[in-house]
Amino acid sequence: MDFHTKNIDEALLTLHTNTSGLDHAEAAKRQEEYGLNILPSKPDMTLLAHFLQQFKSPIIYILLLATLMALSIHEYTDAGFILAVLVLNAVIGTHQEYSASQKAKLLQNLIKANAMVLRDGVIQEIDSQNIVPGDILIFEPGTKVAADIRLTETNNLMVDEALLTGESTDMNKDALFVSDNPNLLLPERKNMLFAGTYISSGRGIGVVSSIGENTEAGKIAQLLSKKSKAKIPLLEKMEKLSFTISIVIGIMVLILFAIGLLKGMTFYSLFLFSVALAVSTIPEGLPVAITVALTSASLAMSKRHVIVRKLAAIEGLGACTLIASDKTGTLTQNKLSVEYFISPTQVYDTNTINEVHDKVYLASILCNEMHYEEAKEGGVDFFGDQVDIALARFAANADESYVTGSKSYRKIDEIPYEPINRFSAVMMEQDEKVFQFSKGSPETVLEHCDVTQEEKKAILDDVDAWALKGYRTIALAYKESEDDEKINLNDFSYLGFVAIIDPVREESPDAILKAQQAGIKVVMITGDHPNTALCIAKELGIASSDAGVMSEKELSDWENSGENAEALKDITVFSRVTPEQKMKIVMAYQTLGHYVAVTGDGVNDAPALRHANIGVAMGKSGTDIAKATSDIILTDDNFASIVNGIEEGRRAHDNIRKVIYLLISTGFAELVLVMLSFITGLPLPLLPVQLLWLNLVTNGIQDVMLGLESAEPGLLKRKPRSPKEPIFNRLMLRRIVVGGLYIGLVSFVLFYFLLQSGESVESARNIILLLMVLFENVHVFNSRTEINYLHKIGYRSSISLIILVIFTQFLHIACMHIPFMQNILSAQPVSFDTWLELAVVAIGLVLVMEADKWLMLKKKSI
């Protein structure tokens, strides 16, 4: 229905509602009729769909072809084992992917979007999915519009509709606008709000006209839900890596295939062997393993109060080199309270608060955008901005009638608080008397007060003195009106300023120290007075003197002089910052080569969050737009949680490298073994079915267990890695070559001497297979760390991995004694002495890798 063509009364009548909102019974009835306010989305994949997905791979197609070929020549054992491996791998992959999808879905459910709704005449906060047509909603800056709305009241309302219309500029809204054109373009419908857009500034009230799939956004979502989700950058990067490796290995397999044909081997034997070798060496399951590792890391982060909206942000957060943090609520407790009121002549503390002028309390409660509800046990509960709540409590503590009596005032005009203006004002009428009140930063409020320059200087000196003690200062002013129809910002009477304290979080100083020890620069960006900011920064350990603080004037000069990034190099505190300046600060640090994480909670933080490498929104106090723009959400609004997230990000990156190293180095070792056997004219050292068995042991659950490894000692004391650093850096390549060559060369030499000593080919293969299993079991532990010695990282956190390694070793030994598996694997039992000798040889791999670390560390120390 074209509600933009209806006036306010017609819209309310059509929706069978009024400005007081629906009652609970009617709302429940409408929810049954209209359903939940949710957008259409692509259906979740079923368990069967996940299972079938595991077979969509060129490698799997080749294996299935090999199975058919084996059946055609009556090689039922090989065919059955290949098929069993394919099914088992599909079951494992299905479990991993299905679990990951369910965990990701769980994380999405943790992030709730709420709306302020008027029901039974009372303002309530509800989950946006429970909104119904006819509900009356209230909008403030930063609010996400959760449905299509016909506005009924507007006050300087500006809306960011870029998500829906593509318009880069904010749109002004007017509730009184009515059009006679039913086909009016969306951006021109000034009396409407649309689901998915955001309130940039101003205030508004409106009635819900459409929900869910019937909204303008819902119509688009019906099309978008059919599109596949784009891959996360890290996963795409890893898939490209896997593809490159596959090409290289494929060429090598073709060379071996050609050599084998020249030697007179049968086409079938070579084909089956080449396919098995390819599957054994190509890390085809790597993207799935990494996705599982990242999803598991995201769940670990959620337990540490960090909700990850984008999986790639986990790895990115680990690369962070600078954190640009808000102060209030992140570094401090966000429990603001008015401790003092400072008039031009006297300081009032909590003991003398009742002696304060009546107009001070009226200014505190009337020039205020909080709302309140009467508590069941008596008193009132306040909701809204923390500064407004602190001022409301200040008035309520003096006399609760200031709060309850505020309803007797009629609002004539209002200038809502906007960060860029740094003040708010209101015009109120009671008993035919009209008052204007103003509150905001002392510098701004004094501009429209009737004070001399000497008085202004004295007041601002007082403000500076209180700010140096760590107090936030809010000035109050008023005047009586006569014929003014709108607020006139002239000739206000200055009342004084309140001194508000927000204590530093107990854990913040330690968390900042941890970040600094991890090589991460911590910068505080705040709207507070420079002296207040410096006082808090000293307590936190962010700054030691005013040399590290950039004030409002200095920031303005920096902008006007060309925004030279080098000028910010030694700055750690920015005060009186505007939203645009915060964004420019972030971009300047990026120019200096930093990988920047930014915290924010308001609509004013959205530009900085959008331009940051990692955007971190506040879960408790954050606005919808801040959360939607961010990559990560802190459920406890705590800076310490960011540091926890960085630790988890570094751990996830380390574990991904561990998985890659294990898979690539063992595959490289198998290639070395086979190539040397071909070159020297020896028989195949391992049969195709034996290579498939190794593939199952190597690429089974062990790589996933490595992805769940705990953080290594000293993880947060390392310097941040470069986010541009490739997976295959010099260290990784060196370890692959050293480990792979040892496994491949030792296995080849043993195979050669076994044949020379008169062992049969079958017996030699049996021993080499056991040795390769031992090598892989041992190599899992080498994969646990790149730079630390094994004895320094401990094993208590890896009990599951140890149990798994023992299990796989006993499983192979059991298969050497079970007739059925003996036939499949061409395996036979060996004596304990033989097993012990092979185990000693395999453990030699640990000594080689540890010796290589020693050489590297020694070279660095020289």
Side-chain angles (χ1 to χ4, degrees), residues 39-77:
L39 294 178
S41 59
K42 186 177 179 179
D44 293 335
M45 283 182 68
T46 63
L47 195 62
L48 178 60
H50 276 288
F51 182 77
L52 295 176
Q53 188 79 19
Q54 308 308 311
F55 294 90
K56 294 181 179 179
S57 163
I59 295 296
I60 302 300
Y61 299 153
I62 295 172
L63 274 174
L64 288 172
L65 179 61
T67 303
L68 292 175
M69 290 184 67
L71 288 172
S72 67
I73 58 173
H74 308 292
E75 291 287 347
Y76 300 117
T77 300

Side-chain angles (χ1 to χ4, degrees), residues 590-718:
Q590 289 170 329
T591 302
L592 291 173
H594 281 290
Y595 197 77
V596 183
V598 173
T599 71
D601 58 3
V603 64
N604 55 309
D605 296 312
L609 289 169
R610 187 175 288 117
H611 283 83
N613 298 99
I614 299 292
V616 183
M618 303 298 107
K620 288 184 176 179
S621 61
T623 56
D624 291 336
I625 190 171
K627 294 175 186 175
T629 311
S630 67
D631 305 293
I632 285 170
I633 298 174
L634 305 183
T635 60
D636 60 352
D637 294 9
N638 192 340
F639 182 88
S641 296
I642 303 175
V643 180
N644 291 338
I646 289 172
E647 183 177 15
E648 290 294 342
R650 290 189 177 187
R651 180 179 72 88
H653 179 264
D654 280 2
N655 288 350
I656 288 170
R657 287 179 63 87
K658 293 171 186 178
V659 172
I660 293 170
Y661 171 63
L662 176 65
L663 298 179
I664 302 300
S665 59
T666 51
F668 176 64
E670 290 167 5
L671 276 177
V672 169
L673 170 62
V674 173
M675 286 183 67
L676 289 175
S677 298
F678 264 73
I679 292 169
T680 56
L682 296 180
L684 292 177
L686 293 168
L687 294 173
V689 73
Q690 292 171 333
L691 281 169
L692 287 167
W693 175 255
L694 284 175
N695 183 45
L696 180 62
V697 174
T698 303
N699 298 331
I701 307 172
Q702 291 182 113
D703 56 352
V704 177
M705 294 305 298
L706 278 177
L708 303 176
E709 277 283 286
S710 299
E712 293 184 34
L715 184 65
L716 279 180
K717 293 184 179 178
R718 297 184 204 161

Side-chain angles (χ1 to χ4, degrees), residues 219-277:
K219 295 171 186 176
I220 297 173
Q222 291 181 55
L223 300 175
L224 295 179
S225 64
K226 299 177 182 179
K227 295 183 179 180
S228 61
K229 188 177 180 181
K231 297 183 181 75
I232 61 174
L234 177 64
L235 185 57
E236 192 170 10
K237 180 179 175 183
M238 295 310 306
E239 286 184 344
K240 288 179 179 177
L241 175 65
S242 297
F243 178 76
T244 302
I245 296 170
S246 300
I247 294 296
V248 173
I249 294 174
I251 293 171
M252 297 180 73
V253 167
L254 287 175
I255 293 172
L256 297 178
F257 197 93
I259 294 172
L261 287 177
L262 291 174
K263 288 178 176 290
M265 297 177 66
T266 64
F267 179 84
Y268 166 73
S269 297
L270 278 171
F271 176 78
L272 194 59
F273 173 78
S274 298
V275 169
L277 179 62

Side-chain angles (χ1 to χ4, degrees), residues 138-177:
I138 299 165
F139 300 97
E140 297 177 343
T143 307
K144 180 180 180 180
V145 182
D148 284 0
I149 306 292
R150 172 54 168 100
L151 288 163
T152 57
E153 291 183 35
T154 51
N155 187 348
N156 300 319
L157 187 63
M158 301 293 292
V159 183
D160 177 359
E161 294 185 337
L163 189 70
L164 191 64
T165 66
E167 294 286 342
S168 58
T169 56
D170 292 344
M171 308 302 294
N172 179 259
K173 297 294 182 177
D174 181 7
L176 300 179
F177 172 85

